[in-house]
Amino acid sequence: MVAALPLLLLFVLLGVFRVRAPKAAIASLLLSVVLAIVGWRMPFGQVLSAGAQGAFYALFPILWILINALWVYKLTVDTPWFEVLGRTIRSISNDLRILSILIAFCFGALLESLAGFGAPVAISAAMLMAAGMKPLKSAIVALLANTAPVAFGAMAAPIIALNGVTGIPLQDLSSMAGRQTPFIAVIVPLILVFIVDGKRGLRQTWPVALVSGIVFGVSQFLASNFLVVELTDVVAALATVAAVLLMLKFWQPAEIIGMNDVADSDAADVRPVSVGAQSGTGYGTSSGLGGVSRNGAAAQASTPGKTNGAAVRPPNGEVWMAVAPYLIIMAVFSIAQIPAVKAWLTSVGSVTFEWPGLDAVDPDGKPVAAHKFKLDHFKATGTMLLISGMITMALYRVAPLRGVRIYRDTLFQLRWTIVTVTSVLALAFVMNVSGQTNSLGIALASAGGFFAFLSPLLGWIGVALTGSDTSSNSLFGQLQVTAAEQTGLSPTLMAASNSSAGVLGKMLSLQNLAVASAAVGLDGAESVLFRKLIGWSLALLAFITTLIVLQSTPVLGWMVP
C-alpha cells in the first residue's frame, strides 16, 4: 500500500484535481524519494544517484529523440512544402470518408512517427476542417486515429523507454508490440468511416478502410520485427498511403460523400472560438498549428460545413520535395543499418560506464541493472534525426540562423514536457532501484494468472492520466515485469502489453483533448469529446485485452518472442 502512494498521488493530482502534469510528476517524485529513504531504508546518496540516472536517461536518449523529431517536423511546417504536402493529400479525393483515412490515419501516423505530443491530432483535425468536415467530428476522428501508431511514435520512444526501465532487449519488446498493435490498426479505419458517415460509410467504403488497416498492420509487424524499430511508423504510414492511392485508381465508393451529405454532429454545448487562439496548446504560433493555417485550415474554419472539391495535385517534383524529409530520415536510418556502418557506429558512437555513486543489489544479492549506463551519442536515434534535419535544411535552403531559431522554439514548446518526462523517469528509477516497484509487483502477482487481465488496464490508465505512452511505460514497465515473473507469465509479453494497451488511453488524456479542442476552435469541448470517445476506447481496450490474455495461454502463446 505504501509503495503505491507515489502512483496514487500522481493519478489523483492529474485525474481528480487536474493539476498540470509537471507539478504532479514532481510531487510524486518527491514522495517516492521520502518513501525510499524512510520505508525502504535507502541511503540518501543512493536515492539521489538513482533519481539523477532516471533524469539523465530521460534526456538521453528519450527527449533527445523527441526534441529532434519535432524539430524536423517544424522545419517542414516553416516552409511552403508542408502546404504542398497537404494539397497532395487533399487532391486524392473529395470524399470525406476516404480523406479521414488518408489525413487522420495515414498522415497522422507519419506525424506521430516524428512529432507526437499532440501534433498529429492538431494538424489532422485542422486539415480535416479544411476539407469541409465539421469541427467536432474532425476532432473525434483525429483523436481516435491517433492510436495504432503511438507505441512506435516519436521514433519508437515508448519502446526505447520500456527497454531502459526493464532491461528486456529492445528487439524483443519491439517484436512483441508489433504482434499486438497491428490488430488495432486493422479496426481503426473501419471505425473512422463509421464515425464520419455511419452505417452507409461502413457499407460503401469498407474495402478501402480494410485495405488501409491491413496494409498498415502488416507493415507495422514487418518493420517492428525485421527492420529498424525507430522507422516502424514511417514505413507503415508510407506503405498505407501507397496502397490507398493504388486502390483508388481501380476502385471508388458508390457515391462521393461531402459534409453536406452527412448529419451535423457538432454539439450544442460547445461554442466556436478562433482556431489556434488557445495559447496553452503550444500550436498557436507560426511553427505550430499556425503553420497549418497556411494550407487553408484557418481560412475555412468559419465555413466548416462547406463541401470542397478535390484540390489540384501539385506537380511530381513538388510532391517529391514535400515528402523529402521523410525519405531522408528513412535513408539515414537505412545507411546506419549497413553492417560496416553499424559496426563503426557501435565502436565510436556508444559508450557504457558505471553510473557514479550507485551501489544497489537485488534481493538475490546481484547488482541491479542500473549500475551500468549505456550512452549512445553519435549512434543515438536523436543524433540520426539531427543529421536528417540538417540535410533537410540544406535541401529546403533554410538558413542556419533560421534553423537554430526553430530549434529554440522547439525547446521552448517542449519545456514543460521536458520537466514532466525527466521527473517521471526519475520517479521510475527511484521506485525501481529502492524496491518500491518490486513490492508492488509482488502484491499484484497475488492475482495469479488474472494479472494477464490487469496488465493492459494498467497501461491504459497510465496513458489516460499522463497523456504519454513513454511516461506510462517508464512508470509501469518494471512493475509489469516483476508481476509477470511472480505469476509465471512472460515478462516480454506483459511489458509490451503496457505499451500496446496504453495507446488506447491517449484519446482520453486531458492533454490530447485540450489540443484537439483548440485545433478545431471549440471552447470547452473536452468533456464532449471525452463522452463521445470513451466507449470506443473501452471497446478497443476489451479487444486488445482479449488478445493479450490469449497470448498468455497456449492458444496464442506461440506469438511471444
Side-chain angles (χ1 to χ4, degrees):
M1 289 176 64
V2 175
L5 288 178
L7 299 180
L8 183 63
L9 176 64
L10 181 65
F11 291 165
V12 170
L13 290 178
L14 285 173
V16 179
F17 295 102
R18 299 194 176 187
V19 174
R20 292 189 63 191
K23 294 180 180 179
I26 291 173
S28 299
L29 169 61
L30 293 176
L31 178 57
S32 71
V33 167
V34 172
L35 293 180
I37 296 171
V38 176
W40 277 260
R41 309 296 191 203
M42 191 176 183
F44 181 68
Q46 298 292 303
V47 175
L48 287 183
S49 180
Q53 184 179 13
F56 189 81
Y57 183 78
L59 294 172
F60 302 97
I62 296 173
L63 285 167
W64 183 234
I65 296 171
L66 297 178
I67 291 168
N68 287 306
L70 186 57
W71 174 60
V72 174
Y73 156 72
K74 288 169 79 71
L75 278 175
T76 66
V77 172
D78 207 60
T79 68
W81 297 112
F82 186 82
E83 185 269 339
V84 174
L85 186 60
R87 277 195 291 125
T88 302
I89 293 175
R90 295 193 304 277
S91 70
I92 298 167
S93 173
N94 58 357
D95 188 299
L96 289 179
R97 300 164 302 185
I98 293 175
L99 286 177
S100 70
I101 295 174
L102 282 170
I103 294 175
F105 186 66
C106 300
F107 187 54
L110 201 57
L111 291 176
E112 180 66 37
S113 71
L114 289 181
F117 286 91
V121 172
I123 304 304
S124 298
M127 290 180 70
L128 287 170
M129 282 183 63
M133 190 175 288
K134 296 296 178 65
L136 190 68
K137 187 165 286 188
S138 298
I140 293 171
V141 169
L143 283 165
L144 200 141
N146 191 223
T147 50
V150 169
F152 297 97
M155 293 293 153
I159 301 296
I160 292 172
L162 198 58
N163 159 253
V165 298
T166 64
I168 298 174
L170 179 64
Q171 188 55 53
D172 287 352
L173 293 171
S174 172
S175 298
M176 189 67 254
R179 300 173 193 188
Q180 294 171 334
T181 56
F183 291 95
I184 300 173
V186 173
I187 299 174
V188 167
L190 294 168
I191 298 176
L192 294 182
V193 297
F194 178 80
I195 289 175
V196 173
D197 194 32
K199 294 180 180 178
R200 178 180 61 180
L202 196 57
R203 184 175 64 253
Q204 293 185 353
T205 59
W206 69 264
V208 68
L210 192 60
V211 165
S212 62
I214 291 175
V215 171
F216 190 96
V218 170
S219 301
Q220 197 175 55
F221 163 73
L222 293 174
S224 61
N225 278 262
F226 305 110
L227 300 176
V228 186
V229 57
E230 292 88 350
L231 292 180
T232 296
D233 281 345
V234 177
V235 171
L238 293 179
T240 308
V241 169
V244 172
L245 292 181
L246 181 63
M247 183 174 181
L248 290 176
K249 288 183 178 294
F250 305 97
W251 174 94
Q252 289 290 333
E255 55 183 316
I256 301 299
I257 299 299
M259 206 61 216
N260 287 339
D261 304 309
V262 298
D264 186 357
S265 63
D266 282 3
D269 54 343
V270 292
R271 57 187 177 86
V273 295
S274 58
V275 176
Q278 303 291 333
S279 59
T281 66
Y283 294 98
T285 65
S286 61
S287 56
L289 179 57
V292 183
S293 69
R294 287 197 289 271
N295 69 28
Q300 296 190 36
S302 60
T303 57
K306 177 184 176 183
T307 301
N308 299 338
V312 177
R313 186 180 186 273
N316 289 337
E318 293 186 6
V319 173
W320 282 110
M321 284 292 289
V323 301
Y326 307 102
L327 298 178
I328 289 170
I329 289 172
M330 293 184 69
V332 169
F333 276 86
S334 297
I335 292 172
Q337 294 304 308
I338 296 173
V341 178
K342 188 174 183 179
W344 180 77
L345 285 174
T346 300
S347 62
V348 304
S350 179
V351 61
T352 301
F353 58 90
E354 291 281 339
W355 185 258
L358 192 61
D359 182 20
V361 296
D362 63 18
D364 296 326
K366 299 177 182 178
V368 297
H371 272 216
K372 291 188 179 296
F373 190 92
K374 182 182 179 183
L375 175 63
D376 291 333
H377 38 88
F378 193 64
K379 180 189 175 185
T381 299
T383 305
M384 296 293 149
L385 287 168
L386 181 64
I387 294 171
S388 301
M390 292 177 176
I391 298 173
T392 300
M393 282 179 58
L395 180 65
Y396 283 175
R397 298 181 180 178
V398 177
L401 286 179
R402 187 176 167 199
V404 171
R405 175 184 60 78
I406 296 172
Y407 203 98
R408 181 200 63 198
D409 292 344
T410 302
L411 289 172
F412 183 78
Q413 179 179 325
L414 289 177
R415 64 193 185 283
W416 295 117
T417 298
I418 293 171
V419 173
T420 301
V421 174
T422 52
S423 300
V424 167
L425 264 295
L427 165 67
F429 272 63
V430 169
M431 291 188 67
N432 291 347
V433 178
S434 68
Q436 294 174 59
T437 301
N438 192 58
S439 299
L440 270 176
I442 293 174
L444 287 173
S446 63
F450 187 71
F451 181 73
F453 287 91
L454 297 178
S455 175
L457 182 62
L458 280 175
W460 182 84
I461 292 173
V463 178
L465 290 176
T466 66
S468 166
D469 201 34
T470 301
S471 297
S472 178
N473 286 348
S474 302
L475 281 174
F476 293 138
Q478 185 57 42
L479 187 154
Q480 298 270 19
V481 169
T482 302
E485 290 171 343
Q486 293 290 323
T487 56
L489 297 168
S490 165
T492 301
L493 172 62
M494 294 297 99
S497 298
N498 191 84
S499 189
S500 299
V503 303
L504 302 173
K506 192 161 188 180
M507 67 180 84
L508 302 178
S509 69
L510 289 176
Q511 297 94 315
N512 250 21
L513 293 174
V515 168
S517 299
V520 298
L522 291 176
D523 185 26
E526 290 87 353
S527 60
V528 177
L529 290 171
F530 182 88
R531 290 195 301 271
K532 288 184 175 291
L533 286 166
I534 188 169
W536 293 112
S537 179
L538 291 174
L540 289 169
L541 176 64
F543 170 76
I544 196 69
T545 299
T546 302
L547 173 67
I548 290 166
V549 170
L550 290 175
Q551 289 177 332
S552 71
T553 69
V555 177
L556 294 180
W558 52 269
M559 297 179 69
V560 180

